[in-house]
Structure formats: structure tokens, C-alpha cells
Amino acid sequence: MRKVLLYITILTTGLIFIGRLFYLQIVDTSLAIRSQDNAIKVVYDYPQRGYIYDRTGELMVSNQPSYDVMVIPRNLKPFDTTEFCNILNLTREDLEKKLDKARIYSPMLPSVVIPQLTKSEYAILQEKMRKYEGFYIQKRSLRDYQVNHSANVLGYIAEVNQKIVNENPYYISGDLIGRAGVESQYEELLRGVKGVKHIQKDRFNRDIGPYKEGIYDTLPEKGKDITISIDSDLQGYGTKLMENKRGGIVALDPQSGEILALISAPTYDPAMLVGRSRSRNYWELYSDSIAKPLYDRGLLAEYPPGSPFKTLNALIGLQEGVVDTDDSFSCNHGYTYGRGRKLGCHAHKSPLSMIPGIAQSCNAYFANVYRRIIEKYPSPQEGMDTWNMHLKSFGLGQFMGNDLSTGRPGKIPDSDYYNRIYDYPTYKWYASATLSNAIGQGEVLMTPIQLANMTATIGNKGWYYTPHILKEIDGQPIKEEKFTKKNYTTIDAKHFDPVVEGMHEVYKSGTASTLRIPGIEIAGKTGTAENFAKIDGKRVQLTDHSIFVAFAPVDNPKIAIAVFVENGYWGSRYAGRMASLMIEKYLKGTITRTDMEEWILSHSLQDEYAKPVSGEPFRINQ
């Protein structure tokens, strides 16, 4: 029995050793990889990043050569740090910090010591690289911007952080990745594929040639060139008009959903975020908490839409059958309701029906329409949810599913929202409690791109394509279904004709009659939105916002636009002029209303933006 137990023990021990050897040699390749790491150096060959073109084929972003100083900490040998630092304009302390960081990342993998050398620095260092064992120069490409606008659209590229390296095996320390805008959204298309070279080393750590004659080496694949829907000339012109102002401009092609212009002001030259000064420049832009040049107002800013929103209430009123185009309402400088409360309005003829009500932007008219919508149903909750349902069919109060790298949903309140606000059923609320929604104030919030899409939908009489910025990939049109499928609203097409006519009358005889463009029939809507901010803990009313939406030509719209100018007084003063000029620029290519252009270019709103600090009074309801 003892002999059998001994044999079993010996046999078991032998099997364990054999199994372990099999695992180490066949299954677990970590030791083999570690051995190869010691004998093979992996060098990446970075591809050219894809070019970015505008819709007309104009080159907006190309590449320029860049050189990074890399280090493999394990391969470092003693070197003249003083000379090295002098060449690179680097302090010894900074060099030590960078080398320590590289050792922490990996002693055997390359890390960036100095990114993006200038040509002169590269030329000097290249001649002396043999003296600095463990260092080498990695060639990359940086972006070369051919335009000085569209920073919010294009985005920028920057070095990956450790989180990205940990989550995505494609990237290693020192790699560049798209941040913000198109560069971020279409990173995988633009970046291409890195090539890899495996270099055999001898026992003295010297390169002796390709590993296994290069059978594992791969060539880099250039990133794909993309065409975006932006019209560079229109984008540049809109950026010029928005100088010394704050706000956003969004222009769409109603027939395709392509974004023609996406302007945020204030902005910056995209070249500021290229090269070794990128980090310093980015910090300066990021630290500007007042002007917020990195904040894309066209996509992120949620504003009260003001009077352009009245067009939607008109459409809902027609669809719900609570009003027709002949119904008229009186206006005595506003609409009185509740306990002596009044929704004010400017002077105009009275009474008004729908078309002149839109043209003259009558608050009293739309207060009546809104109340009829909400009060059609047995409870205000049912009326509010029906109203909400119609508005969401225009893509409001939600993310529209566009291909932009950022955005906000805006706000379209529903009954649950007001039930919470008024603590229902403890306190009951009625249509009059939400009356500001009738004129695009109150709790309604929209982004400029939502305003533009709303306008395109009206121009199309009830449908829209999801807004998008990608047009072609390597010359081939995109075919993604969500950008080529029509989205229909809950409003019947027949109800759009009187609203379009009313918007056309805005230019012919209404609040934008002074903004007409010769030879172009435009439908538009002015808007003025109240503007509040907290100053020293108090809610203060600032100068009103200027809003304008329009599409043209009326019968076959090729452009729909929304302009929002913060503290711009009233709709036709700033936003209306800009929208008219942008439409003429796109449809004609030239400007005939040079009087409006000169006025916009010569007027600044910087004094308005300084008033919270200067203490000067604000212009309200002017």
C-alpha cells in the first residue's frame, strides 16, 4: 500500500510539472513576448490624417509635418543633459519630470518627451541624435488649417490621455486623437491605420535589421478624406457678421438636412490649437468664463425661442381645429387675463386674423390660440400633453439624432412638469398659468439648430431630414438611413400654407419689411426674447435677445436659417439683418444690401456684455 501511494505521489507530481511546462510553453505566451520585447523594437509609422473639404470642394483642413522626441526609458544611457535641454529650450527639471512620467508609463515602451518640434529644432537635434541613446525622433503629421473660421465645427486634435490608452488598444502614449467637432465625431475615418515595423536588436541593444525579414511589418493606411456639408464661404461670412457679438447662426438645406453653416460667437482661429503652444492657448480659451469661445452656442445654448415659436402654435391650433385662418382676435396693446395680469404687445391694427397676426407678431392673437389648444380637452393636463406631442414631432425637446459631437435637447414642458411645479393636485393649474408658452417664453427652451430645423420643416410643409454635417467619404455620398429618411410631423400638410403666407408677409408688410432682398422671396419671423441673469445674487432683466428665422425661396426653399444674437435688442435689429444677408450670400454669392452689411459690421455689442460689470442700465422692451 505504501509503495502504491509513493508511485501515485510521484506520478501526480510528474503530471503537474508536465502540465505546467505545457502551459508555459504552449498556452501562456507572456514569457515569449517578454523575450521578444528584449530583442525586438516596435516602431510605428503614422499615416497621413484624412483631409476635410467643404461642400464645394474647397480644402479646409490638410496636414503639415511634425516631429516628436520619443524615449524608451530602459534604453537610456548617460548623456549631456545640458546640451539636450538647450537644443529643445527645456529646463532640466522639466526633462526629469517627463522622463519619470515615461518610466511610470512603461520602461520598455516609447513615450513622448517633446511633442511637435519646430523645423529648426528638428534640424539641430537630428544631427546629434547618435549622442542620445534611448531617444529617437518620431515623424507625425499635424493639422494645417486652410481657413481661420469654423473652429467649433472642425474641432482639433490633441494627445491621448491615459484613460483613452487604457480603454482603446489602438492608441499608445503620445498618439493624437480628434477632440471636439468633426475631428472627434469622425476620428476613426480620419485617423487611418498605423503601420508597424519590427526591428531586430543584438545583445548589445543595437539595431541589426528587420525582424524575420519584415514579414510582420505593415504599411500605414492614409485616413479617409471627408467632405462636410458646410459652405466655407457662407461660414466665413457669417463669422464676420458675428464679430463683437455673442450668439449662434445655423443654416440648413431643407431638401437634404445638410448643415450649410454652424456659427458660434465669439470664436477663435483653429490654428491656435496646433503646435507646442496648443496647451497654453487652450487654457486661455478655457479660462474665459465670460465670453466662452469654446462653448458652441449653435448646438449647446438653450434659449427662449420668442416669437418664431408662434408659428408652431398656429399650426397646432389649425391641426386641433380650435382656430381657422379667418378667426380674429382683438389686441389692446396686449392680452389681459387672470387677476389683472397682462401680456403686453406693440402697437398694430386690431383685430387680426392668423396671417396678419403672424406678420405683425401679435401676442394677443397667439395667447387666444394657445388657450384654445389647452382648453379643448377636459383637463389642462390632457391639453398640455397634446400640445407637447405635436411639438416633439418637430424634433423639439429631445436630441434630434444628428451626427454632431455635442448638443442639448432644449425643453418642451408637459403636464408632469407643471404638476410638479404647482404641486398638483394640492394646487390646480390652468392654461393661463402657462400662457408665456404662447409667445415662446415661459418654460420653452430651444437651441439655434432646433430653431433652424423647425424653420426648414415649415418650409417643407411638414417634414424634415435629420440635420447632419457629413456629406461624402472619399468622394462617395453617405447612405445612412437616418440621414436620408424623411421625418414627418403630426401636422397635416394643408395647414402649413397660411403659416408660410404669414411668414412671407413678415417681409412684405410686417416686422421685417425693411429687410427685403431684391430678387429673393423670403419667409421669416422676427423674435424678441426677454433675458434674465443673476447678478450679485439678484435676478436682473438684461437687454432682450434678438432672434430671427427664415427660409428662401418661399416656393422651393434652398436655405433655412436661424440667427440668435444675445442682448441684440429686438428681432429685426441684428438677427434679421444677418439672416437676410446670409440668405443673399448663399443664393446669389454677392451682397446688394450693402447698407445692412455696413450697419452690422460697424456695430458692436461689447458694451452690452460689459454692463453687468460696468453697472450701466439695460435696454428692456425697446
Side-chain angles (χ1 to χ4, degrees):
M1 184 66 183
R2 291 179 179 177
K3 287 184 179 181
V4 174
L5 183 60
L6 179 63
Y7 289 143
I8 292 174
T9 302
I10 293 171
L11 182 62
T12 303
T13 305
L15 290 173
I16 291 172
F17 273 109
I18 292 169
R20 180 61 178 166
L21 286 170
F22 176 82
Y23 176 79
L24 291 174
Q25 293 186 23
I26 305 300
V27 179
D28 184 7
T29 60
S30 62
L31 293 178
I33 292 171
R34 205 172 296 173
S35 174
Q36 286 188 1
D37 281 344
N38 294 330
I40 300 168
K41 180 172 71 175
V42 176
V43 177
Y44 292 102
D45 192 357
Y46 286 87
Q48 289 281 310
R49 198 168 175 87
Y51 285 8
I52 301 175
Y53 297 88
D54 89 327
R55 67 185 297 107
T56 66
E58 180 182 338
L59 180 62
M60 298 183 75
V61 188
S62 59
N63 299 310
Q64 57 182 309
S66 170
Y67 306 93
D68 294 349
V69 179
M70 311 292 293
V71 66
I72 300 176
R74 190 192 61 179
N75 297 343
L76 278 176
K77 295 293 191 306
F79 63 98
D80 186 341
T81 56
T82 301
E83 181 187 52
F84 188 80
C85 290
N86 286 340
I87 293 173
L88 298 175
N89 192 26
L90 189 70
T91 67
R92 189 165 183 166
E93 291 75 17
D94 285 342
L95 177 61
E96 286 298 330
K97 287 179 183 178
K98 291 175 181 293
L99 294 179
D100 288 342
K101 183 179 178 181
R103 292 186 188 98
I104 292 170
Y105 169 66
S106 172
M108 295 178 292
L109 296 177
S111 293
V112 177
V113 178
I114 300 293
Q116 303 164 19
L117 294 182
T118 64
K119 290 181 180 179
S120 59
E121 288 173 334
Y122 167 72
I124 296 170
L125 186 61
Q126 178 66 16
E127 294 179 357
K128 301 185 177 184
M129 280 303 293
R130 67 185 186 280
K131 299 166 62 176
Y132 308 120
E133 195 167 339
F135 293 97
Y136 69 95
I137 295 177
Q138 174 75 65
K139 184 178 180 181
R140 303 182 194 267
S141 63
L142 290 181
R143 285 316 218 179
D144 188 9
Y145 294 98
Q146 309 300 307
V147 294
N148 61 3
H149 54 72
S150 303
N152 64 309
V153 173
L154 300 171
Y156 58 93
I157 59 174
E159 188 175 337
V160 294
N161 55 36
Q162 191 58 47
K163 184 174 184 290
I164 294 172
V165 172
N166 293 341
E167 293 176 351
N168 193 326
Y170 177 85
Y171 299 100
I172 62 173
S173 179
D175 280 1
L176 301 175
I177 190 171
R179 296 282 183 87
V182 171
E183 295 280 17
S184 172
Q185 189 68 18
Y186 292 106
E187 162 70 10
E188 292 188 11
L189 290 175
L190 292 167
R191 75 185 182 192
V193 179
K194 288 182 286 192
V196 181
K197 293 180 181 179
H198 300 80
I199 308 299
Q200 182 79 46
K201 296 181 288 185
D202 63 14
R203 62 192 182 94
F204 298 107
N205 205 35
R206 295 175 300 196
D207 294 350
I208 57 175
Y211 174 64
K212 290 191 176 181
E213 298 181 349
I215 61 172
Y216 297 115
D217 295 350
T218 59
L219 293 173
E221 296 179 20
K222 181 183 179 297
K224 296 184 183 298
D225 296 337
I226 65 173
T227 298
I228 59 176
S229 59
I230 293 293
D231 184 306
S232 183
D233 285 345
L234 186 67
Q235 180 85 5
Y237 184 63
T239 302
K240 184 178 179 182
L241 295 178
M242 284 293 287
E243 287 179 1
N244 296 313
K245 295 113 186 159
R246 295 178 190 168
I249 301 176
V250 182
L252 304 175
D253 180 348
Q255 304 303 316
S256 65
E258 292 173 352
I259 300 171
L260 304 174
L262 177 58
I263 296 155
S264 178
T267 186
Y268 59 94
D269 187 334
M272 290 179 65
L273 298 185
V274 177
R276 291 176 67 179
S277 60
R278 189 201 72 82
S279 294
R280 182 180 68 252
N281 290 339
Y282 179 84
W283 179 249
E284 289 178 359
L285 293 169
Y286 179 80
S287 300
D288 188 349
S289 60
I290 298 176
K292 299 180 180 178
L294 294 175
Y295 183 67
D296 192 333
R297 286 168 164 85
L299 302 175
L300 294 171
E302 296 170 308
Y303 301 108
S307 292
F309 193 75
K310 294 172 181 175
T311 58
L312 297 183
N313 280 320
L315 290 167
I316 296 171
L318 291 170
Q319 181 67 31
E320 289 295 311
V322 297
V323 68
D324 62 35
T325 56
D326 294 325
D327 286 339
S328 296
F329 300 100
S330 297
C331 178
N332 183 22
H333 294 286
Y335 176 77
T336 303
Y337 64 103
R339 298 177 181 176
R341 289 182 291 176
K342 187 171 185 177
L343 189 66
C345 191
H346 60 278
H348 57 72
K349 292 181 179 179
S350 177
L352 293 175
S353 57
M354 180 172 289
I355 292 172
I358 294 172
Q360 298 299 329
S361 198
C362 176
N363 287 347
Y365 178 89
F366 288 98
N368 280 284
V369 172
Y370 177 78
R371 288 196 68 163
R372 287 189 177 188
I373 295 169
I374 304 301
E375 294 171 354
K376 172 185 176 182
Y377 293 87
S379 71
Q381 283 81 3
E382 292 176 74
M384 180 61 64
D385 287 340
T386 301
W387 178 79
N388 176 281
M389 176 267 296
H390 286 303
L391 292 171
K392 285 193 170 179
S393 73
F394 285 79
L396 306 181
Q398 57 197 327
F399 293 103
M400 292 184 292
N402 57 51
D403 63 340
L404 302 164
S405 61
T406 190
R408 291 274 175 82
K411 183 195 289 185
I412 300 296
D414 59 11
S415 63
D416 287 341
Y417 176 83
Y418 287 113
N419 285 343
R420 292 193 303 271
I421 293 294
Y422 293 107
D423 193 21
Y424 181 85
T426 304
Y427 297 99
K428 292 185 177 181
W429 56 272
Y430 301 94
S432 58
T434 66
L435 197 63
S436 293
N437 293 334
I439 60 171
Q441 296 277 179
E443 288 69 44
V444 176
L445 296 173
M446 291 172 63
T447 61
I449 193 170
Q450 289 176 325
L451 271 170
N453 190 61
M454 174 200 85
T455 308
T457 305
I458 295 173
N460 289 336
K461 298 183 180 178
W463 60 268
Y464 67 91
Y465 287 113
T466 300
H468 54 280
I469 205 162
L470 183 64
K471 186 174 176 66
E472 295 177 355
I473 304 171
D474 273 345
Q476 298 300 312
I478 62 167
K479 298 179 181 179
E480 197 167 344
E481 183 180 358
K482 72 175 182 178
F483 300 135
T484 56
K485 178 183 177 182
K486 288 182 178 179
N487 302 286
Y488 288 90
T489 71
T490 55
I491 309 298
D492 296 338
K494 63 182 180 181
H495 295 313
F496 285 86
D497 287 330
V499 174
V500 170
E501 186 179 349
M503 293 176 70
H504 192 195
E505 284 294 330
V506 168
Y507 266 92
K508 292 169 66 177
S509 62
T511 53
S513 58
T514 61
L515 308 181
R516 299 186 70 178
I517 301 295
I520 304 177
E521 294 299 319
I522 306 175
K525 185 72 191 75
T526 52
T528 304
E530 291 181 337
N531 175 23
F532 295 90
K534 276 195 173 182
I535 300 176
D536 296 330
K538 296 180 180 179
R539 188 172 185 262
V540 178
Q541 186 169 3
L542 282 60
T543 302
D544 294 340
H545 295 315
S546 174
I547 312 165
F548 199 88
V549 301
F551 61 86
V554 171
D555 296 329
N556 183 27
K558 293 180 171 58
I559 181 174
I561 190 168
V563 181
F564 202 108
V565 181
E566 296 178 11
N567 303 48
Y569 294 78
W570 60 86
S572 60
R573 182 175 172 87
Y574 280 95
R577 286 181 168 102
M578 290 182 185
S580 299
L581 290 168
M582 291 280 284
I583 288 171
E584 183 174 30
K585 179 71 172 178
Y586 183 69
L587 295 180
K588 289 185 175 182
T590 57
I591 297 297
T592 58
R593 287 297 305 270
T594 54
D595 58 321
M596 287 200 302
E597 182 182 60
E598 290 171 3
W599 192 94
I600 287 291
L601 295 178
S602 63
H603 281 69
S604 168
L605 286 169
Q606 292 301 326
D607 288 344
E608 282 294 331
Y609 306 136
K611 284 180 179 179
V613 177
S614 69
E616 291 185 33
F618 298 99
R619 292 283 294 273
I620 301 168
N621 297 324
Q622 297 293 318

